[in-house]
């Protein structure tokens, strides 16, 4: 992230420097972005949903469509505009693990949503401290063994991976549990939720609607795990166009006959549904292997051999030490602070605390509609190589 214009939310409290006096309520903070003043903080007010915008050009208040999971337990914040497209928000009175949030106001994702919904849109993205492992998208025709391979990974590395539980309008199979294998829903409800912007991607597959909610991916990131998505090729294409920065793996059968054999042997579908899946498999195999969409194509011939190849792609074959992770220290933040910025580092200054705290954004990844990952946070005096004494 390059040099960005800096505005301080705290400085604007009470008197907004856009020619209008905006009276803020307790715990509200405001920041000016171009012609607009964003006021953040009244989360209990269902009318504003925590964000209201004063548009200087029309002299009107706008209640934007607010996407993403919003922060809770909000007791004021310090804010800074980054890159002219997102507001960095450091929540007061909280732990370092929950203090960094971004309200995206003009990022590519938000611009797309504004076009789609024809209205003012903002989107929350929680900042996640620590190394960012890329989510994994696994696609392939029905019956190829995606679920089997994913289960093997989750069983061998339970602390490392979390499954993105999709929504679907198809009926549950005998052993499938709601909320574990899928969120089973009906079409009307799901279509409403899609309209409300709750989905990262969705597609019609084998006559049913399937989709990944933003929350499904966030829940896994919040648990500190690497997210696995089992989605079709259309979904993979949508995710590729999103900010998720995933690794894309396509699973192929050794032959079409073998795919058919596996699908029948699984015994979960009627003959009619098997035919539908086999028909769709042809197009999926064609797109999966020729579109350039996937980073890796794996042939699931021998299951154990395929699993080993999958682990190798994910760096789990013993060639990298996956147990050595940078520990993420959790510490309390000052209740009052001002922010300054040096290159990619945000310095939290407080008169009451002896230490400055640094938020390093140099490895920042992702963003709305999911989490903003790869952030580092540490007390300034622990890293002597940091020049954190100056301010901008
Ligand atoms: N786009 C999209 N596809 C999904 C999602 N969840 C599952 N799918 C795909 O939907 C297809 C059918 O899944 P399912 O009904 O569980 O059948 P199975 O693949 O035969 O086990 C598979 O290709 C899945 O990868 C989702 O959230 N989004
Ligand atoms: N390499 C393999 N060799 C033989 N059978 C397999 C292999 N991989 C998976 N299977 C079997 O094929 C069936 C379909 O696998 P599944 O994981 O449900 O596929 P998908 O999730 O891609 O629809 C299951 O009965 C599974 O046990």
């Amino acid at each position: 992230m390059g040099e960005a214009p800096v505005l301080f939310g705290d400085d604007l409290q009470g008197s907004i420097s856009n020619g209008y006096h905006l009276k803020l309520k307790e715990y509200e903070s405001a920041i000016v972005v171009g012609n607009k003043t964003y006021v953040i903080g009244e989360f209990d007010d269902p009318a504003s949903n925590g964000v209201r915008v004063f548009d200087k050009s029309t002299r009107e208040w706008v209640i934007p469509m607010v996407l993403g999971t919003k922060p809770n337990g909000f007791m004021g914040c310090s804010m800074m505009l980054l890159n002219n497209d997102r507001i960095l928000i450091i929540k007061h009175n909280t732990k370092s693990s929950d203090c960094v949030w971004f309200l995206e106001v003009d990022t590519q994702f938000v611009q797309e949503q504004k076009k789609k919904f024809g209205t003012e849109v903002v989107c929350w993205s929680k900042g996640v401290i620590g190394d960012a492992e890329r989510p994994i998208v696994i696609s392939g025709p029905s019956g190829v063994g995606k679920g089997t391979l994913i289960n093997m990974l989750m069983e061998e590395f339970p602390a490392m991976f979390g499954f993105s539980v999709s929504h679907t309008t198809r009926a549950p199979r005998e052993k499938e549990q709601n909320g574990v294998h899928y969120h089973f829903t009906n079409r009307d409800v799901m279509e409403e939720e899609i309209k409300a912007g709750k989905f990262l991607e969705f597609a019609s597959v084998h006559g049913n609607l399937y989709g990944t909610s933003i929350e499904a991916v966030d829940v896994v990131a919040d648990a500190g795990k690497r997210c696995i998505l089992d989605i079709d090729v259309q979904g993979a294409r949508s995710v590729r166009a999103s900010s998720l920065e995933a690794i894309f793996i396509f699973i192929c059968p050794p032959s079409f006959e073998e795919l058919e054999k596996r699908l029948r042997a699984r015994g979960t579908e009627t003959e009619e549904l098997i035919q539908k899946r086999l028909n769709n498999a042809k197009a999926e195999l064609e797109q999966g292997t020729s579109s350039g969409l996937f980073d890796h194509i794996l042939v699931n011939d021998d299951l154990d051999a395929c699993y080993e190849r999958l682990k190798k792609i994910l760096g789990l074959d013993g060639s990298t030490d996956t147990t050595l992770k940078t520990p993420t220290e959790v510490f309390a933040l000052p209740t009052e602070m001002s922010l300054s910025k040096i290159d990619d580092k945000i310095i939290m200054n407080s008169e009451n605390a002896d230490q400055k705290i640094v938020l390093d954004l140099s490895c920042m990844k992702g963003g709305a509609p999911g989490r903003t990952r790869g952030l580092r946070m540490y007390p300034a005096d622990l890293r002597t190589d940091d020049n954190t004494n100056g301010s901008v």
Side-chain angles (χ1 to χ4, degrees), residues 310-323:
L310 176 61
K311 285 204 291 184
K312 190 158 191 230
I313 290 171
L314 301 177
L316 300 168
D317 59 340
S319 58
T320 43
D321 188 350
T322 52
T323 55

Side-chain angles (χ1 to χ4, degrees), residues 204-358:
S204 177
V205 193
H206 316 315
N208 281 298
L209 212 50
Y210 292 78
T212 309
S213 70
I214 295 167
E215 195 183 351
V217 176
D218 283 355
V219 161
V220 179
D222 287 352
K225 294 184 180 181
R226 190 171 184 185
C227 190
I228 305 181
L229 293 88
D230 173 347
I231 58 176
D232 85 319
V233 176
Q234 308 167 72
R237 196 167 287 121
S238 305
V239 172
R240 186 60 109 176
S242 82
S243 59
L244 203 63
E245 292 173 354
I247 177 165
F248 292 78
I249 302 171
F250 188 77
I251 315 283
C252 281
S255 67
F256 202 78
E257 292 67 38
E258 174 63 19
L259 182 71
E260 181 165 358
K261 212 169 101 192
R262 285 182 198 172
L263 207 45
R264 288 187 192 287
R266 190 171 70 183
T268 50
E269 269 73 33
T270 60
E271 182 57 30
E272 192 193 342
L273 288 177
I274 289 175
Q275 287 307 331
K276 197 180 250 183
R277 277 156 198 265
L278 288 173
N279 270 337
N280 292 341
K282 289 178 190 139
E284 277 178 290
L285 284 168
E286 168 83 27
Q287 289 171 31
T289 51
S290 64
S291 61
L293 177 59
F294 292 90
D295 302 309
H296 305 275
I297 296 177
L298 281 181
V299 179
N300 183 15
D301 37 19
D302 176 75
L303 182 60
D304 290 333
C306 182
Y307 180 57
E308 287 309 314
R309 290 198 296 276
L310 176 61
K311 285 204 291 184
K312 190 158 191 230
I313 290 171
L314 301 177
L316 300 168
D317 59 340
S319 58
T320 43
D321 188 350
T322 52
T323 55
L324 270 184
K325 290 223 161 259
T326 322
T328 306
E329 196 187 346
V330 176
F331 43 88
L333 292 178
T335 48
E336 292 294 326
M337 68 178 93
S338 65
L339 304 180
S340 51
K341 186 172 185 293
I342 301 171
D343 300 327
D344 284 330
K345 295 192 177 86
I346 307 294
I347 323 297
M348 300 177 211
N349 308 287
S350 167
E351 279 181 17
N352 308 328
D354 344 329
Q355 274 178 334
K356 293 176 185 199
I357 292 174
V358 179

Side-chain angles (χ1 to χ4, degrees), residues 89-109:
I89 294 170
I90 312 276
K91 266 170 73 180
H92 291 166
N93 265 320
T94 185
K95 292 231 165 64
S96 50
S97 52
D98 180 45
C99 74
V100 184
W101 287 78
F102 296 88
L103 185 71
E104 299 198 5
V105 295
D106 201 32
T107 54
Q108 195 190 337
F109 173 74

Side-chain angles (χ1 to χ4, degrees), residues 149-189:
L149 289 161
I150 291 170
N151 284 342
M152 288 166 87
L153 267 184
M154 308 261 296
E155 266 170 36
E156 191 177 354
F157 305 98
M160 192 177 290
F161 296 106
F163 185 61
S164 158
V165 181
S166 293
H167 282 60
T168 182
T169 60
R170 86 148 159 76
R173 291 175 190 150
E174 207 176 275
K175 288 190 182 141
E176 284 178 333
Q177 286 170 265
N178 192 24
V180 176
H181 300 94
Y182 280 106
H183 297 289
F184 295 100
T185 181
N186 69 49
R187 192 171 274 268
D188 290 349
V189 172

Side-chain angles (χ1 to χ4, degrees), residues 44 86 103 117 188 196:
D44 297 337
R86 72 197 70 201
L103 185 71
F117 294 109
D188 290 349

Side-chain angles (χ1 to χ4, degrees), residues 45-61:
D45 178 1
S48 76
N49 209 5
V51 184
R52 54 197 172 106
V53 186
F54 186 77
D55 189 333
K56 193 180 163 188
S57 55
T58 58
R59 302 183 179 197
E60 278 180 5
W61 282 102

